[in-house]
Amino acid sequence: MNKITVNDVNFRDRTALVRLDLNVPLDANQQITDDRRITAALPTVQKILADNGRAILCSHLGRPKGKHVPEMSLRPVAEHIGSLLNKTVAFAEDCVGPEASNLVGKMAAGDVLVLENLRFHPEEEKNDSEFARRLAGLADIYVNDAFGSAHRAHASTEGVTRFFNQSIAGLLMEKELTYLGNALSEPQRPFAAILGGAKISGKIDVITNLLDKVDMLFIGGGMVFTFAKAVGYQIGDSLLEEDKVELARELIAKVQSSRAKLFFPTDAVVASEISDSATTDVVPIEEIPDGKMGLDIGPDSIELFRRELQQAKTIVWNGPMGVFEHAPFAKGTFAIADLLADMTDAGAITVVGGGDSASAVKKAKLGDRLTHISTGGGASLEFLEGKELPGVAALTDSPKATEAAV
Ligand code: AMP
């Protein structure tokens, strides 16, 4: 992690614009149904307040597409932050403009102001420079703790940084960059990656980037079947990306000439429908009958993955092994989650990319037992692809890192 963090800065007498990921689920009555994103953001806010700084919090919520959508207001989030911090939190009904400026003008040391949903303005996602300048004008220092939005060059994640002398990483951002970064750049070996999910098309760049880095690569999920087709297996009605078969062939050849050893499922749980009451069978991976779909890795594959993964010291996991949303196809994914929890207990470093694999781990109530579960699905995927995230690139480098580079 080579960025300045909030721990390197004293916020006394300063007004910080803090970009958070407060994109929490709300029910029809605007009640927050899961506040984990809020609680994950609090340590950064508390650090600023402990320094006697002023914290202006901003975020997106949902996809209002540049319009004011009352159901996507951050007001309930502001109220919830107030109750968690046990203090009155002010709320500005527009993230820029006279009301916001007025409320900022009234802030005292230790005060918190929450701005309305940034995406009510189309300029946010367009990374409009004038909008970024107006947002930045509210504060004298900028903090980004929204890892989940860091892969987007939006006004509040990238544009604003041009108007500040220093752009600081929050504590959650620091944690994400440290765990994901260290896993990729200095893993304890053997280093294994487990990739699953629906399609190859979403994971090509991850596979390519990880090939030179990992010692073992495990493939599961729907993308297995495009690989299976590429080597001439019978895949029945399983998920197939017809136009990616050639690419799958090339990827297999690339793995064979890389340092990584490839592990492929040996059997599959099949069914003719995706439902909670589906009748299932287990068949060899090369012989999925017509009319059936491969919807999870089978027991032999779980055993193979378990045996081989045991040796790994660092494991990165992205994407479920099957259609885990339905009980008959969830065993493979939960078995991996269990195995990773046990391996973490035994000293391995286990990092789960956000999105579906993170939900599976949480569903299995194993969240506390793994080393790190990323809060950003898209962002962690782009990180694993080896891409520089614009919201991270825009943060100020730490002098320590600069000295080390010189
Ligand atoms: P992704 O967003 O690419 O990580 O894909 C996650 C989705 O992949 C989940 O919703 C799973 O239900 C789905 N998935 C996993 N395995 C399979 C499979 N064998 N066939 C179809 N979909 C799958």
Side-chain angles (χ1 to χ4, degrees), residues 99-121:
E99 192 214 3
S101 304
N102 199 8
L103 288 169
V104 171
K106 290 185 185 151
M107 288 174 86
D111 276 357
V112 179
L113 167 68
V114 176
L115 304 179
E116 183 54 289
N117 195 338
L118 295 159
R119 290 195 189 163
F120 285 179
H121 288 263

Side-chain angles (χ1 to χ4, degrees), residues 196-199 203 221-222 225 239 294-296 319-325 356:
K199 295 180 173 175
K203 305 279 157 82
F225 303 101
L239 189 68
L295 296 168
D296 194 10
M321 297 291 97
V323 184
F324 76 104
E325 297 91 336
D356 282 318

Side-chain angles (χ1 to χ4, degrees), residues 196-199 202-203 220-225 238-239 269 274 293-297 318-326 333 355-357 381:
K199 295 180 173 175
K203 305 279 157 82
M223 69 171 147
V224 158
F225 303 101
S238 306
L239 189 68
V269 176
I274 300 178
M293 296 171 276
L295 296 168
D296 194 10
I297 59 172
N318 188 292
M321 297 291 97
V323 184
F324 76 104
E325 297 91 336
H326 296 278
T333 302
D356 282 318
S357 23
L381 200 61

Side-chain angles (χ1 to χ4, degrees), residues 288-303:
I288 297 179
D290 286 344
K292 300 275 186 185
M293 296 171 276
L295 296 168
D296 194 10
I297 59 172
D300 273 1
S301 314
I302 293 176
E303 208 29 60

Side-chain angles (χ1 to χ4, degrees), residues 232-279:
Y233 293 173
Q234 227 179 287
I235 66 161
D237 292 352
S238 306
L239 189 68
L240 171 67
E241 286 175 277
E242 198 85 61
D243 59 335
K244 295 287 180 297
V245 174
E246 192 44 46
L247 176 86
R249 223 169 264 138
E250 286 166 23
L251 282 174
I252 293 171
K254 255 195 201 165
V255 183
Q256 279 163 349
S257 61
S258 76
R259 64 179 292 158
K261 201 166 162 202
L262 179 66
F263 294 94
F264 206 68
T266 48
D267 57 353
V269 176
V270 299
S272 43
E273 56 163 359
I274 300 178
S275 80
D276 286 337
S277 55
T279 309

